[in-house]
Amino acid sequence: MLNQNQISSANIMVVGCGALGNEVLKNLVLMGVTHITVVDFDIVETGNLSRSILFTKADAEQRRLKIDVVAERLKQLNPDIDMTTICGDIAYNVGLGLIKQMDVIIGCVDSRWARFCINRLAMRAGKPWVDGGIDGLEGTARVFMPGKNCYACNLGPEGLKDLARRMPCSGIIRRQEQAGSAPTTSIVASVIGAIQVQEALKLIQPEFGTSLCGRMFYYEGQHMEVHTAQYEAYDDDCAEHECWHPISHTKADVDTCVQQALHIWEQELGADEVELCLANDCFVDYVSRRDNDERTMVMCPGHKVEEMVEHNNTLCGLSSAALYQNEYKHITAAFPYPDLTLQQLGIPSNDVVHVVANGKDYYLALSK
Ligand SMILES: [Zn+2]
């Protein structure tokens, strides 16, 4: 029997509000979960409607954000739920401080890269996470727990190659549609989404049943095959297992400028010199010369460079015309832009930063 108090006091994060995310969220609310955080940056499109219970045609026509729509619909199912929505990318926009507050993270994403990022955050925060994947009439579910098994350790050579290309699986689905084979269906999303929620509840309340952790659940609808297989690789040398512990608090927040933050940390940690290690991204500056010999400079988090070049006409052709490019992973007093805020470096709010002082690692939770 489920302990309803335990379930309703749990904090669960759902990453991705697509077909799987819809099923997972619906089940969470029906099972009595009340504290839910959702992360997604997409808008509702007509193509989503055939497999997403929470979206309507009007949402697609109004191009509403998926996070806003799911929050509204789930509140209709249970007006007492407490929803937090984050419009962003799990790789760059979710602070570790928020992940730390979660009991379980449920991944409803469609790329190896996004899974890799969830795994890294979960490991750093010491939290379990439940993965789901659907493809045509096939689906899988897996549970990862720090100290027991790890998504990165279970990626084979193919997986690692794919990760390097950061290819979202939607590309695979598009190719399948063109080739006439079945895309994702609501049926497989229902099966896998249900298993994910069942496993998430076991993580909150272990008496509920035996966890899938260490095995993979596999479902294939066409020939009706269902089985579990061992899935427990955990390599002691894996760089992804780094648990950020202990975490202490700092006065600095995302609006603090670099110079000031370094100064605060020198004082707080009793060091003459400190170094901020950008853990998820690098900071990049580009200097380019256009036809009239005018120099254009761009400074931004590494993952934003392509977007900046694409969307800003004045920077057209920047990447090819770049005179030089610097990437900063480690920020010290020598960083040339001391007036930029931590947010401008790409650090999300409610994050934990990795600071090295006197040769020692410190993990500092930013003030809110
Ligand atoms: Zn690993």
Side-chain angles (χ1 to χ4, degrees):
M1 272 296 283
L2 278 172
N3 177 332
Q4 209 53 58
N5 288 338
Q6 227 174 339
I7 300 296
S8 60
S9 60
N11 283 296
I12 299 188
M13 176 181 283
V14 177
V15 184
C17 296
L20 261 187
N22 266 253
E23 287 297 319
V24 163
L25 287 164
K26 172 209 70 177
N27 285 329
L28 286 175
V29 173
L30 293 179
M31 292 302 286
V33 174
T34 51
H35 303 289
I36 302 174
T37 300
V38 286
V39 182
D40 197 299
F41 53 78
D42 264 341
I43 54 163
V44 179
E45 290 179 68
T46 316
N48 305 135
L49 301 180
S50 62
R51 42 188 179 260
S52 308
I53 185 72
L54 303 171
F55 301 154
T56 65
K57 197 171 161 216
D59 301 325
E61 282 164 2
Q62 292 163 27
R63 301 174 57 78
R64 295 182 68 193
L65 280 170
K66 288 178 177 176
I67 48 164
D68 291 343
V69 177
V70 299
E72 187 183 296
R73 301 287 136 75
L74 295 175
K75 273 188 182 288
Q76 287 168 357
L77 282 175
N78 178 2
D80 296 331
I81 59 168
D82 147 43
M83 291 281 304
T84 303
T85 57
I86 298 176
C87 180
D89 185 332
I90 185 69
Y92 310 109
N93 307 125
V94 181
L96 194 70
L98 186 66
I99 304 272
K100 269 291 220 192
Q101 293 167 20
M102 297 298 138
D103 293 293
V104 183
I105 300 124
I106 305 183
C108 302
V109 295
D110 64 356
S111 76
R112 287 199 171 97
W113 170 243
R115 289 187 177 92
F116 185 79
C117 293
I118 296 173
N119 187 68
R120 171 181 283 178
L121 288 169
M123 289 283 174
R124 279 182 191 162
K127 301 291 176 178
W129 75 280
V130 183
D131 177 49
I134 50 177
D135 187 1
L137 287 175
E138 287 178 57
T140 56
R142 299 171 284 199
V143 176
F144 298 101
M145 285 171 94
K148 293 204 170 156
N149 67 341
C150 154
Y151 176 73
C153 288
N154 282 284
L155 279 172
E158 251 323 286
L160 288 169
K161 222 163 65 187
D162 182 50
L163 185 65
R165 293 197 300 267
R166 295 189 189 185
M167 185 177 76
C169 299
S170 57
I172 299 172
I173 291 169
R174 267 197 296 280
R175 280 200 303 281
Q176 282 175 341
E177 276 171 332
Q178 282 158 7
S181 72
T184 304
T185 67
S186 62
I187 295 171
V188 180
S190 300
V191 173
I192 300 300
I195 301 286
Q196 281 182 282
V197 170
Q198 181 177 277
E199 290 305 314
L201 297 181
K202 287 179 194 168
L203 291 169
I204 294 163
Q205 205 183 306
E207 311 87 83
F208 187 40
T210 307
S211 174
L212 179 66
C213 183
R215 289 173 296 157
M216 173 172 74
F217 172 84
Y218 174 82
Y219 166 87
E220 197 272 310
Q222 196 176 3
H223 305 97
M224 201 49 214
E225 267 184 51
V226 179
H227 64 255
T228 60
Q230 251 188 358
Y231 209 81
E232 53 189 0
Y234 200 78
D235 180 355
D236 286 339
D237 300 331
C238 174
E240 299 303 313
H241 301 178
E242 192 181 56
C243 181
W244 286 20
H245 182 81
I247 291 175
S248 45
H249 284 269
T250 170
K251 272 193 299 186
D253 60 36
V254 280
D255 297 319
T256 308
C257 74
V258 169
Q259 188 177 34
Q260 206 185 344
L262 293 174
H263 182 66
I264 291 173
W265 297 330
E266 279 167 12
Q267 289 190 324
E268 288 176 343
L269 304 173
D272 297 333
E273 236 178 293
V274 295
E275 177 183 304
L276 165 65
C277 304
L278 294 179
N280 301 318
D281 202 3
C282 56
F283 183 81
V284 174
D285 67 10
Y286 269 100
V287 176
S288 105
R289 187 171 52 202
R290 293 188 289 155
D291 295 344
N292 54 6
D293 212 30
E294 188 184 316
R295 287 179 177 215
T296 309
M297 186 154 146
V298 180
M299 300 180 287
C300 62
H303 74 280
K304 290 270 185 199
V305 171
E306 224 170 285
E307 193 185 311
M308 297 268 294
V309 174
E310 235 174 68
H311 290 99
N312 192 331
N313 280 336
T314 61
L315 304 175
C316 242
L318 177 67
S319 51
S320 55
L323 283 181
Y324 61 79
Q325 172 194 352
N326 293 309
E327 277 188 18
Y328 304 90
K329 272 300 260 185
H330 303 273
I331 309 291
T332 62
F335 184 62
Y337 315 107
D339 295 333
L340 291 178
T341 64
L342 298 183
Q343 191 164 40
Q344 286 168 319
L345 292 188
I347 295 173
S349 52
N350 208 351
D351 204 10
V352 175
V353 291
H354 176 192
V355 174
V356 178
N358 299 329
K360 234 184 118 192
D361 294 311
Y362 293 91
Y363 304 107
L364 310 174
L366 297 176
S367 289
K368 282 175 196 166

